């Protein structure tokens, strides 16, 4: 409790300090573009290494072995797409949100409406995962086992998140993310070193113990081979396709995640945008290597049975591992302290990520929908920031409500759904806008809505929602789509809708494309847009 309260007090102090520095829209949305490449790289790491990464992936590796590790690979490889295709070009072309890039060369109102809707949907999916992680984590740490206790935990996390965003804006959120990134890397590295030390720094011995303790009794070695979660005999071909679909969503989704895209606007130059992504990749790369040891360490030392008793989806594997290794090396007091430390770090993780997500969605509502669609560009900066703060309250309340409903889901899995929606709707529109001369308003709107609606419909009629033991609604079955991850179908639909919408419309603005091409590649004109 002391560790928890210390962290919350420190982050609240940062938030109120930042609120005194936040005077303009650029301060609220982009932290005044005052962060260096290294600072923004740490913040990107803090924003990206979510509860899904720390709690969900460690849990899914502990329960599913090799197949769980594929989440780590997908999350990491995704950064190459963000670095090579999106980071620098987005920073040069936009101002505060993803829609700024699309609206530059197209009819702004329909494009901003579509981008705003997509941003809010993706952010709420992602927020959902963080809320579920918060409930599981605080429940474990404080010994809360009742459903009502977990509900109140989710409400408490949501309230804190709203405070961060409403008062601190981007500046407060970024500093919370930097602090959290340092804490998370330190905590994960400490537990990893203790686990490896326990096995004499012999990874083979660790993996062997994990397979013996948590693998299927009939064939323990299958724990270290593909097919335990995806592609089992019962699933057949659908399981294998589901795995490919998951990989596609993870690799392509990052470059379309709104809360990651807005991070590129917080740096002063394109060079800093590149530098921040390189730093982000370095931090995230090391972290995902650590999740491998954390997951298999939990499988080896805690065991599958004990993990699922704490949380059926495995979300408490990492904290339970910290407690177990602490007890074995330092005694019961050491175990308790290490559990509290990792718990506080994971809590920090959740708070930092939910703040970033809420900021992205409330910024999009205020900047894209309110200022440019409803007010047709006539809103003052003061009005815009006021609306952003009110929308943060509303979005936070929605996330709390949905988080309470989805408590039984694995958080890594919920985030994979957010990635699928981002890759299906946002990514086609962004890539076409930056690289296709012929692209137009009809194409952008069709790409966003086509990808978004197809991904959502396929999720609704998949085993995620009904028809399986782990479904959201267990008592009914209306699923007809066999895959849990819709990306393999919905991503091509998004690109196809964008192409069809473009070729069927006669609208075409060659001059605007030429301007955005020069601007995205060189940064010329971006500074003027900031001043404007």
């Amino acid at each position: 409790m002391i560790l928890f309260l210390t962290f919350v007090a420190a982050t609240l102090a940062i938030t109120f300090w930042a609120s005194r520095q936040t005077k303009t829209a650029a301060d609220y949305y982009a932290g005044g573009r005052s962060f260096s490449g290294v600072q923004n790289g740490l913040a990107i790491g803090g924003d990206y290494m979510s509860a899904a990464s720390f709690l969900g992936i460690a849990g899914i590796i502990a329960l599913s072995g090799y197949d769980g590790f594929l989440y780590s690979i997908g999350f990491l490889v995704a950064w190459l797409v963000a670095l090579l295709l999106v980071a620098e070009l987005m920073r040069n072309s936009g101002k505060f949100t993803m829609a700024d890039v699309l609206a530059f060369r197209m009819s702004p109102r329909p494009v901003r409406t579509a981008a705003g809707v997509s941003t809010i949907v993706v952010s709420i999916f992602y927020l959902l995962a963080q809320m579920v992680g918060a409930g599981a984590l605080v429940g474990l740490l404080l010994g809360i086992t009742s459903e009502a206790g977990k509900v109140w935990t989710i409400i408490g996390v949501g309230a804190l998140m709203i405070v961060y965003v409403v008062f601190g804006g981007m500046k407060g959120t970024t500093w919370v993310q930097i602090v959290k990134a340092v804490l998370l890397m330190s905590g994960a590295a400490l537990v990893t070193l203790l686990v490896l030390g326990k096995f004499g720094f012999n990874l083979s011995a660790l993996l062997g113990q994990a397979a013996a303790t948590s693998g299927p009794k009939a064939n323990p070695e299958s724990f270290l081979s593909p097919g335990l979660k995806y592609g089992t005999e019962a699933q057949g071909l659908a399981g294998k396709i589901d795995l490919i679909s998951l990989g596609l969503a993870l690799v392509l989704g990052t470059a379309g995640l709104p809360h990651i895209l807005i991070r590129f606007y917080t740096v002063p130059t394109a060079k800093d945008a590149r530098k921040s992504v390189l730093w982000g990749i370095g931090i995230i790369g090391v972290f995902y290597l650590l999740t491998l040891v954390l997951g298999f360490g939990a499988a080896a030392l805690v065991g599958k049975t004990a993990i699922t008793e704490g949380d059926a989806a495995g979300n408490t594997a990492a904290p339970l591992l910290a407690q177990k290794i602490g007890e074995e090396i330092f005694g019961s007091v050491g175990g308790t302290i290490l559990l509290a430390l990792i718990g506080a770090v994971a809590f920090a993780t959740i708070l930092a990520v939910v703040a970033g997500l809420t900021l992205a969605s409330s910024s999009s509502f205020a900047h894209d929908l309110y200022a440019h669609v409803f007010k047709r560009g006539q809103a003052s900066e003061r009005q815009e920031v006021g609306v952003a703060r009110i929308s943060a309250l509303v979005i936070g309340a929605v996330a709390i409500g949905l988080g309470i409903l989805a408590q039984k889901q694995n958080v890594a899995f919920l985030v994979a759904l957010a990635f699928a929606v981002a890759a299906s709707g946002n990514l086609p529109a962004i890539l076409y806008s930056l690289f296709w001369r012929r692209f137009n308003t009809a194409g952008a709107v069709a790409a966003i809505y086509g990808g978004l609606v197809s991904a959502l419909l396929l999720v609704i009629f998949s085993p995620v929602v009904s028809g399986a033991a782990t479904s959201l609604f267990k008592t009914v079955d209306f699923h007809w789509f066999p895959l849990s991850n819709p990306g393999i179908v919905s991503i091509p639909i998004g690109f196809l809708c964008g192409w069809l919408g473009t070729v069927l419309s006669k609208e075409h603005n060659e001059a605007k494309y030429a301007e955005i091409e020069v601007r995205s590649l060189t940064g010329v004109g971006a500074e003027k847009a900031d001043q404007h």
Side-chain angles (χ1 to χ4, degrees), residues 116-332:
V117 168
S118 178
T119 295
I120 291 165
V121 171
V122 173
S123 298
I124 285 175
F125 257 111
Y126 214 119
L127 274 168
L128 194 56
Q130 311 309 315
M131 295 299 192
V132 171
L137 178 78
V138 182
L140 170 75
L141 280 163
L142 306 182
I144 297 168
T145 51
S146 68
E147 293 295 317
K150 288 184 179 176
V151 166
W152 281 108
T153 301
I154 290 170
I155 292 169
V157 171
L160 266 175
M161 153 189 94
I162 291 165
V163 168
Y164 288 154
V165 176
V166 169
F167 292 102
M170 178 56 90
K171 199 164 275 189
T173 299
T174 300
W175 279 110
V176 169
Q177 286 164 346
I178 290 170
V179 169
K180 166 255 159 135
V182 172
L183 284 173
L184 181 60
M185 289 299 289
S186 306
L190 173 63
V191 176
T192 298
L193 285 172
L194 292 174
V195 170
L196 287 174
K198 167 89 176 161
F199 290 92
F201 291 91
N202 183 339
L203 197 57
S204 182
L206 167 62
L207 295 175
Q209 179 69 38
T213 307
S214 294
K217 286 189 169 51
N219 181 16
E221 287 304 308
S222 65
F223 192 72
L224 306 177
S225 306
L228 205 59
K229 183 173 175 64
Y230 296 101
T232 59
E233 282 181 31
Q235 292 169 326
L237 181 63
K240 293 181 172 67
I241 296 171
D242 212 0
L243 180 57
I244 297 167
S245 186
L246 168 70
L248 270 174
L250 294 180
V251 170
L252 297 176
T254 297
L257 287 175
H259 69 296
I260 298 296
L261 294 175
I262 65 169
R263 290 241 55 90
F264 300 135
Y265 298 132
T266 63
V267 288
T269 66
K271 184 182 175 186
D272 285 313
R274 274 199 310 278
K275 190 176 179 182
S276 59
V277 175
L278 286 170
W279 269 88
I281 286 177
I283 293 163
I284 291 160
V286 171
F287 176 76
Y288 283 123
L289 286 174
L290 301 181
T291 61
L292 176 65
V293 178
L294 293 174
F296 283 113
L301 298 174
V302 182
K304 190 172 183 175
T305 310
I307 292 168
T308 49
E309 275 175 12
D311 181 87
N315 295 323
T316 54
L320 286 170
L321 171 65
Q323 184 177 25
K324 182 79 174 173
I325 195 77
E327 283 173 357
E328 289 191 7
I329 296 172
F330 306 113
S332 61

Side-chain angles (χ1 to χ4, degrees), residues 30 32-38 40 44 86-94 263-277 519-524 526-527 530:
R33 302 189 208 284
S34 58
F35 292 98
S36 69
V38 177
N40 197 43
I44 283 174
V86 171
E88 185 181 345
L89 305 178
M90 285 287 290
R91 193 254 154 235
N92 288 343
S93 311
R263 290 241 55 90
F264 300 135
Y265 298 132
T266 63
V267 288
T269 66
K271 184 182 175 186
D272 285 313
R274 274 199 310 278
K275 190 176 179 182
S276 59
V277 175
R519 186 155 142 182
S520 66
L521 293 172
T522 65
V524 172
E527 281 70 24
D530 284 352

Side-chain angles (χ1 to χ4, degrees), residues 418-429:
F419 274 69
V421 175
S424 306
N426 296 352
L427 188 67

Side-chain angles (χ1 to χ4, degrees), residues 125 417 421 454-465 481 484 486:
F125 257 111
L417 293 181
V421 175
S454 61
L456 287 175
L457 280 176
L458 292 175
V459 168
I460 289 167
F461 293 107
S462 77
V464 174
V465 174
F481 184 65
S484 297

